[in-house]
């Protein structure tokens, strides 16, 4: 018997790509000068020009279910004054085009100070707790308010 392979974002690793395009769409819909970086080995997902002409880096992390977000495999949580993490969660419904994923735009420095991080046994893989973000960053959920404040400040 031949088994048919169903390809979707949940089983072929397209969740992050779908998340990047979702965030890019949000940025464009809100009138931002945003530029998507393409490629497999890129170091930056999206670059946004601030209102004063500076550069903001948006690092997009997506999960289909309510798993923790894999942030890096370098062993350290990357922060910078101009780095914002866009966390996306499809709540197990990535194949349902009628459902709306949740997203958070959170400055990297704030995440590093106030978030539960987990480091895998290999000592390199860093995760951010999905549960912790949901419980402690409600004001950031599905909002561009803090991104707007950041872009207006620099």
């Amino acid at each position: 018997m031949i088994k048919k392979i169903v390809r979707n974002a949940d089983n072929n690793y397209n969740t992050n790509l779908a998340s990047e395009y979702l965030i890019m769409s949000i940025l464009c819909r809100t009138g931002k000068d945003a530029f998507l970086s393409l490629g497999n080995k890129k170091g930056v997902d999206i670059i946004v020009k601030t209102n004063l002409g500076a550069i903001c880096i948006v690092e997009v992390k997506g999960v289909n279910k309510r798993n923790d977000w894999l942030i890096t495999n370098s062993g350290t949580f990357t922060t910078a004054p101009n780095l914002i993490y866009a966390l996306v969660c499809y709540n197990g419904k990535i194949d349902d085009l009628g459902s709306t994923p949740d997203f958070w735009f959170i400055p990297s420095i704030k995440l590093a100070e106030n978030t539960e991080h987990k480091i895998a046994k290999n000592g390199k893989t860093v995760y951010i707790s999905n549960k912790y973000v949901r419980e402690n960053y409600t004001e950031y959920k599905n909002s561009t308010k803090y991104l707007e404040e950041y872009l207006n400040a620099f």
Side-chain angles (χ1 to χ4, degrees):
M1 178 175 171
I2 298 174
K3 189 175 184 180
K4 183 178 178 183
I5 298 173
V6 178
R7 299 184 77 75
N8 60 35
D10 191 32
N11 66 12
N12 71 354
Y13 306 104
N14 284 329
T15 303
N16 272 327
L17 188 58
S19 299
E20 288 175 19
Y21 282 105
L22 171 76
I23 294 301
M24 191 66 186
S25 171
I26 291 167
L27 293 170
C28 290
R29 291 169 61 195
T30 56
K32 306 297 173 273
D33 286 332
F35 307 92
L36 183 65
S37 172
L38 299 175
N40 253 356
K41 301 283 183 190
K42 60 188 187 218
V44 172
D45 292 327
I46 299 172
I47 297 170
V48 183
K49 186 176 163 190
T50 70
N51 295 342
L52 298 177
I55 291 177
C56 171
I57 298 167
V58 178
E59 189 66 33
V60 181
K61 303 298 178 182
V63 292
N64 177 17
K65 299 179 178 129
R66 289 191 175 186
N67 304 31
D68 294 339
W69 288 281
L70 190 158
I71 298 301
T72 185
N73 284 314
S74 69
T76 59
F77 185 87
T78 304
T79 63
N82 68 334
L83 174 61
I84 292 179
Y85 283 96
L87 305 176
V88 178
C89 182
Y90 288 90
N91 299 304
K93 298 179 180 179
I94 196 161
D95 291 335
D96 179 2
L97 298 181
S99 71
T100 305
D102 294 325
F103 66 88
W104 296 258
F105 285 103
I106 308 173
S108 62
I109 293 173
K110 183 163 182 68
L111 269 178
E113 292 172 355
N114 304 321
T115 304
E116 287 184 1
H117 302 93
K118 300 174 187 173
I119 299 178
K121 291 179 183 177
N122 66 11
K124 294 183 177 183
T125 308
V126 179
Y127 296 92
I128 290 180
S129 168
N130 193 312
K131 182 177 187 239
Y132 187 87
V133 168
R134 287 181 177 284
E135 292 173 354
N136 295 281
Y137 288 92
T138 55
E139 71 273 19
Y140 291 84
K141 184 178 178 184
N142 300 334
S143 172
T144 61
K145 176 185 174 192
Y146 293 97
L147 175 66
E148 298 281 347
E149 287 178 5
Y150 178 85
L151 295 176
N152 287 326
F154 296 95

